[in-house]
Each structure stands twice: as C-alpha cells, then as structure tokens.
C-alpha cells in the first residue's frame, strides 16, 4: 500500500492508548496531534480491540477515532476476539452504561464487514 501512496497505520488498541497517554508527559506533543495520526490515516488497522479492561478514557478515545473515521468515510480493519454483544460488553467501563460502547460497535459494524473466524485454530496455541 505504501508504494501506492496510501498512508496505512497499524497498531494495537493498547499501543494506541499508550501513545496518547505518553503525549501528556511530552512538551510540544499534544493528545490531539497523536489522535489525528489515527483519525486521518488513509487506512487504520486496529488490532486486538477490547483485550484490555475498558475505562471511560479508553472508550472515549475509541469513540472519537471511530466516529471521525465513520463520518469521513475512512476505512478501517479491526481485529477482535469478540462477537458484537461481547464487544459492547468488553468496551463498557465497569461503572459505565454502555451507550458509548454501543455507539462504537454500531459504527464499526456499519463501516466494516464482519468476518467470523469460528473454528479456526490459533497457531500460537499449537506451539
């Protein structure tokens, strides 16, 4: 894709959050400038969504990025080990009501094609 001039960004959700949080400790680097790298990439590949425990911060950041890409019709590839309902549950903070998590998942399902991988063995477990 790079040879064709497509700006592709690949990251895990956890790494993306860490980079955003790290920006708080760096002078001259803003939270928004880091978010914009993910919001405006020609293609964003977000790996391992909902591996970590959800917080208000993580769900808010995810909504901000997904909603921007949704409204601007920018493509995403997302991997997660969850179906729609369990993804909403995993993205809802322990004391949250799930509204924002539901909005994220709704947008993802509208803009992406779900490809269930049921029955496919994880090669890492065989080693």
């Amino acid at each position: 894709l790079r040879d064709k001039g497509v700006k592709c960004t690949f990251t895990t959700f956890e790494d993306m959050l860490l980079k955003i949080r790290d920006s708080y400790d760096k002078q001259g680097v803003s939270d928004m400038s880091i978010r914009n790298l993910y919001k405006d990439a020609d293609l964003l590949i977000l790996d391992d969504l909902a591996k970590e425990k959800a917080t208000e911060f993580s769900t808010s950041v995810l909504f901000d990025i997904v909603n921007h890409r949704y409204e601007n019709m920018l493509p995403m590839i997302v991997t997660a080990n969850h179906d729609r309902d369990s993804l909403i549950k995993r993205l809802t903070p322990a004391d949250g009501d799930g509204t924002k998590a539901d909005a994220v998942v709704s947008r993802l399902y509208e803009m992406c094609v779900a490809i269930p991988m049921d029955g496919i063995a994880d090669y890492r477990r065989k080693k």
Side-chain angles (χ1 to χ4, degrees), residues 7 15 19-21 27-28 30-31 34 38 51 62 69 74 91 94-96 98 102 106 122:
K7 185 174 69 173
D15 285 345
K19 286 179 183 169
I20 291 168
R21 284 185 184 130
Q27 281 189 328
S30 72
D31 163 284
I34 302 299
Y38 302 108
K51 280 273 191 199
L62 183 61
R69 298 188 68 79
L74 295 168
L91 292 173
D95 56 349
D102 186 53
S106 175
D122 186 340

Side-chain angles (χ1 to χ4, degrees), residues 26-65:
K26 296 181 181 174
Q27 281 189 328
V29 178
S30 72
D31 163 284
M32 195 51 71
S33 68
I34 302 299
R35 286 186 196 210
N36 286 341
L37 295 174
Y38 302 108
K39 289 165 85 168
D40 295 326
D42 292 338
L43 171 64
L44 176 62
I45 303 172
L46 191 56
D47 192 26
D48 283 338
L49 183 61
K51 280 273 191 199
E52 66 293 318
K53 185 177 273 194
T55 64
E56 288 294 328
F57 174 78
S58 67
T59 304
S60 182
V61 166
L62 183 61
F63 178 79
D64 178 43
I65 291 167

Side-chain angles (χ1 to χ4, degrees), residues 44-49 66 76-80 87 108 112-113:
L44 176 62
I45 303 172
L46 191 56
D47 192 26
D48 283 338
L49 183 61
V66 169
M76 291 181 70
I77 297 172
V78 179
T79 68
L87 192 55
L108 287 175
C112 300
V113 175

Side-chain angles (χ1 to χ4, degrees), residues 75-95:
M76 291 181 70
I77 297 172
V78 179
T79 68
N81 292 330
H82 305 280
D83 62 20
R84 184 182 187 123
D85 291 336
S86 66
L87 192 55
I88 293 169
K89 192 175 191 176
R90 291 284 304 163
L91 292 173
T92 301
D95 56 349

